Amino acid sequence: MKLGFDKWIVVLTVTTAALLQTIDSSIVNVTLNQMMGNLGASLGDISWVVTGYAAASAVMITMSGWLTSKLGRRNYFAASIIMFTIASIFCGTSTNVWELVFFRVVQGIGGGGLLTTAQSILIQTFPKEDLGIANAIFGMGVIIGPSIGPTLGGYITDNLSWNWVFYINIPFGILATFLTYTYIKEPAEKIAAGKMDWLALILLTMGIGGLQIILEKGEEKDWFDSTFIVGMSIAAAVGLIGFIWRQLSVKIPILNLRLLLQRRFAVGTLFNFILGFGLFASVFIIPVFCQTILGFTASQTGLLLMPGSIATGLMMPIVGGLLGKNFISPIWYAAIGFLMFFGFCFDLSAINLAAGPDYFFWPLIIRGVGMGLIFIPLTTITLADLKNIDIPQGSALTGMIRQLGGTFGTAIMTTYISTRTMFHASRLGDNVSIYNPLSVERIKQFTNLFLSKGDALMAATSKAYGMMQGTVMRQALVMTYADTFLVIGAFFLICVPLLLLFIGKKIQAPAHTEMVME
């Protein structure tokens, strides 16, 4: 059935909903300081605003395939948007931190159903010849959202207040809800959904929710030196093992893990983990480096990331169109994308204290183009062998893995930066002594600087040693971030030969499912 103009309204609808979720996953990060002041919260308390949303979202991403089958695609998608929008209103009107945390959890429950459901709607709606361009437009929302979130959040915080970070969701939520009920229809072919498996749901919440909390709070709590982290780790391990056992032992599971028996889907899911790892880790460390080491403002950092996001946005439709022409296998597009992301990381591994905005421009453009080359081909490769009725479950599983990849990336890189900085600081500090002529000369210069400002000799000497220590620490941080980029790049370089695992029968985009017109 030819869908005509309506199918592009479907693209607008699901992309709007996807942007709500992806932007909100990062937009609040730059508003936390203002929230702390307005709500009288500590840093530990306010961090649950981020952790609660991420944990709830991860659990619901996993549940989204089953809920789509149980409630109907349109009903579940619309319900998720409505819940997300209403929770946004209450987040903005919160008067204390725990009220805000509660409604952020509710918002995460709504947001978790948006991304994977949106992707399955596109794949089941569009014919093969149009699926590439549709996925391209959708992919723009998925990839660009985390990049523009901090920029948008910083601008709103500087010019309005933190409350408006949530209020801006309201008009877009209303629009997406209206378009959903008007244009999105149910597929003719549906998968059976069993009764709610409450044991599986409890185990899922313990496993995925617990793992998300561990990764978000581990660095803050000093990892396994904390009884809280140890307790959460035990709960997460029991939950994950129990959930996997439960899903493999029931006839109609919440999450069909048997899909991982298909080689391409399993390998593609692994690559989605790496994609999430690299995307979120790089989005995390670049703003931190620019603001803490180079002294950029939040707005300057946001503008720094914008050209790369635009490059991704421009690349998505091009790749989508090329996939529709079947010139070459999607494997080769993904391979080029992984190599370009490695090139971006390798380039930034030479970063130094003299780096300005121009230094980041071309590496971020390369990263943006690479992301555009990876996302759509990877989606095509991963879901190519699935039946149409399995696509919602497949999208849910890959979405959950990509989300966990992002959380793992942020947590691992945060810990790596902390430990590696101490390593470099110790190595550099060994060279600062009275027996090293260069360090003696530098301390003498610092001392003379403070003497010229009127300080006494003892005070000037003390300040000089303090400045020397600060210089060592800054240099250690630069070396650490350079190492961090290499580590992230290594993950993407390893993926290139692993793409050979996809080689086999011809890869085709999933066939679309005819829609029931009402």
Side-chain angles (χ1 to χ4, degrees):
M1 171 184 281
K2 185 174 178 61
L3 301 177
F5 179 73
D6 286 3
K7 64 187 177 183
W8 301 113
I9 300 296
V10 171
V11 174
L12 173 64
T13 304
V14 299
T15 303
T16 301
L19 272 171
L20 285 174
Q21 201 276 347
T22 55
I23 290 177
D24 240 65
S25 65
S26 60
I27 194 172
V28 301
N29 293 348
V30 295
T31 69
L32 295 180
N33 284 337
Q34 192 180 95
M35 289 178 183
M36 288 169 58
N38 287 170
L39 300 176
S42 67
L43 179 60
D45 291 342
I46 206 68
S47 65
W48 283 102
V49 171
V50 177
T51 304
Y53 179 89
S57 179
V59 171
M60 293 309 297
I61 286 173
T62 313
M63 289 280 295
S64 62
W66 182 86
L67 286 169
T68 298
S69 302
K70 188 69 175 178
L71 303 178
R73 185 174 66 184
R74 180 175 65 178
N75 290 337
Y76 176 57
F77 192 60
S80 296
I81 299 171
I82 292 170
M83 179 178 289
F84 184 93
T85 306
I86 293 175
S88 296
I89 297 173
F90 285 105
C91 284
T93 58
S94 296
T95 56
N96 65 73
V97 65
W98 298 115
E99 183 182 348
L100 176 58
V101 169
F102 173 79
F103 287 115
R104 276 288 282 177
V105 170
V106 176
Q107 192 184 44
I109 293 173
L114 296 180
L115 271 184
T116 54
T117 310
Q119 187 176 35
S120 65
I121 287 171
L122 283 180
I123 294 174
Q124 291 181 308
T125 299
F126 279 73
K128 177 184 174 182
E129 61 270 18
D130 291 333
L131 187 58
I133 191 67
N135 264 329
I137 298 172
F138 171 72
M140 289 166 59
V142 174
I143 300 297
I144 293 175
S147 299
I148 67 174
T151 308
L152 185 59
Y155 179 84
I156 291 172
T157 302
D158 291 341
N159 293 277
L160 296 169
S161 70
W162 66 266
N163 313 76
W164 283 94
V165 165
F166 301 108
Y167 292 152
I168 62 167
N169 294 328
I170 299 171
F172 295 103
I174 293 172
L175 174 63
T177 302
F178 170 77
L179 292 176
T180 296
Y181 275 115
T182 304
Y183 292 99
I184 292 180
K185 311 300 180 184
E186 294 294 334
E189 188 179 13
K190 299 180 181 180
I191 189 170
K195 295 180 180 179
M196 168 55 70
D197 188 338
W198 293 106
L199 176 59
L201 178 59
I202 292 170
L203 292 170
L204 172 65
T205 304
M206 287 173 55
I208 299 298
L211 181 59
Q212 190 83 27
I213 291 172
I214 292 166
L215 294 170
E216 294 277 350
K217 305 291 285 187
E219 178 66 18
E220 176 191 330
K221 300 289 186 180
D222 202 19
W223 293 105
F224 296 104
D225 289 335
S226 165
T227 54
F228 173 77
I229 295 297
V230 171
M232 290 301 300
S233 299
I234 294 172
V238 171
L240 286 173
I241 294 171
F243 180 73
I244 293 171
W245 164 79
R246 184 68 176 174
Q247 297 312 284
L248 295 177
S249 62
V250 298
K251 184 177 180 180
I252 304 179
I254 291 176
L255 185 65
N256 188 4
L257 298 178
R258 294 182 180 89
L259 295 177
L260 292 171
L261 295 175
Q262 299 186 42
R263 188 187 70 177
R264 279 183 179 158
F265 181 76
V267 178
T269 301
L270 171 63
F271 284 164
N272 269 280
F273 179 89
I274 296 172
L275 177 63
F277 187 105
L279 172 63
F280 284 91
S282 59
V283 166
F284 166 72
I285 64 175
I286 290 176
V288 172
F289 179 84
C290 290
Q291 293 180 50
T292 59
I293 308 301
L294 301 181
F296 290 10
T297 65
S299 298
Q300 287 175 324
T301 306
L303 291 174
L304 188 78
L305 295 171
M306 195 59 67
S309 299
I310 293 173
T312 301
L314 293 176
M315 200 66 198
M316 288 282 192
I318 295 173
V319 175
L322 290 174
L323 284 176
K325 302 293 183 181
N326 289 320
F327 290 134
I328 61 174
S329 170
I331 295 172
W332 298 112
Y333 292 110
I336 295 170
F338 280 117
L339 285 173
M340 292 186 74
F341 200 100
F342 170 75
F344 147 77
C345 293
F346 184 79
D347 198 352
L348 288 188
S349 68
I351 199 165
N352 56 62
L353 289 170
D358 292 343
Y359 180 87
F360 293 90
F361 181 81
W362 286 112
L364 288 172
I365 292 293
I366 292 171
R367 172 187 176 275
V369 173
M371 278 294 177
L373 284 166
I374 294 172
F375 186 81
I376 306 169
L378 187 57
T379 299
T380 302
I381 293 168
T382 304
L383 302 178
D385 291 345
L386 298 188
K387 299 176 181 178
N388 278 293
I389 58 174
D390 290 330
I391 286 174
Q393 288 275 0
S395 297
L397 187 52
T398 55
M400 181 267 288
I401 294 296
R402 186 167 57 240
Q403 172 98 353
L404 285 179
T407 309
F408 267 97
T410 303
I412 291 172
M413 290 301 102
T414 299
T415 303
Y416 180 82
I417 288 169
S418 177
T419 56
R420 194 67 175 171
T421 299
M422 292 301 101
F423 169 79
H424 282 305
S426 177
R427 294 286 298 273
L428 292 172
D430 290 342
N431 296 316
V432 180
S433 72
I434 58 174
Y435 303 107
N436 187 326
L438 292 177
S439 61
V440 170
E441 180 62 27
R442 180 63 61 89
I443 291 173
K444 183 179 179 180
Q445 291 174 358
F446 290 155
T447 302
N448 290 333
L449 173 64
F450 290 115
L451 286 172
S452 68
K453 294 183 178 181
D455 288 334
L457 179 60
M458 185 175 293
T461 303
S462 177
K463 289 182 179 180
Y465 276 102
M467 181 173 283
M468 190 68 175
Q469 185 179 16
T471 301
V472 168
M473 187 57 67
R474 287 190 71 199
Q475 190 59 49
L477 282 168
V478 172
M479 296 170 70
T480 296
Y481 278 95
D483 293 345
T484 303
F485 283 115
L486 279 179
V487 171
I488 296 173
F491 278 93
F492 281 79
L493 186 61
I494 292 171
C495 284
V496 177
L498 288 178
L499 284 168
L500 295 176
L501 294 173
F502 281 126
I503 294 177
K505 65 180 181 180
K506 186 176 180 181
I507 297 173
Q508 294 184 341
H512 74 291
T513 299
E514 295 292 341
M515 294 164 61
V516 178
M517 306 301 289
E518 297 178 349

